[in-house]
Amino acid sequence: GAWVSNPVVDQLVIGGTTNGGRAVIYDLTGKELMSTVTRSSVTLLDAAGLSSGLYVVQYRHGDQIQNLKFFKD
């Protein structure tokens, strides 16, 4: 399964991803803030522009969906 670095300072590290998946960051209201197509087993997202607080990253590949919480310092 996928995992995330926690807490996040400038860069969110998502491990356990695969080529052709999708990672989306949402705030706690469900608003989509950023997304990327995953290309390898580790995916990096620039989180420097996010305010401090709790977020959810949804990783999706095929019919697999994982929601993972992370804290931005």
Side-chain angles (χ1 to χ4, degrees):
W3 54 268
V4 294
S5 54
N6 231 341
V8 172
V9 178
D10 292 327
Q11 196 168 63
L12 173 65
V13 179
I14 309 167
T17 57
T18 58
N19 187 36
R22 186 164 188 254
V24 183
I25 295 178
Y26 296 95
D27 66 15
L28 292 183
T29 69
K31 179 181 175 187
E32 183 177 321
L33 303 176
M34 65 179 74
S35 67
T36 190
V37 173
T38 60
R39 305 204 186 286
S40 66
S41 62
V42 176
T43 300
L44 306 177
L45 282 170
D46 181 7
L50 297 177
S51 301
S52 293
L54 194 59
Y55 295 88
V56 174
V57 61
Q58 182 180 80
Y59 171 65
R60 187 182 290 236
H61 188 262
D63 61 358
Q64 174 191 14
I65 299 172
Q66 285 184 269
N67 293 304
L68 306 162
K69 293 180 182 173
F70 70 93
F71 186 80
K72 166 67 167 70
D73 265 347

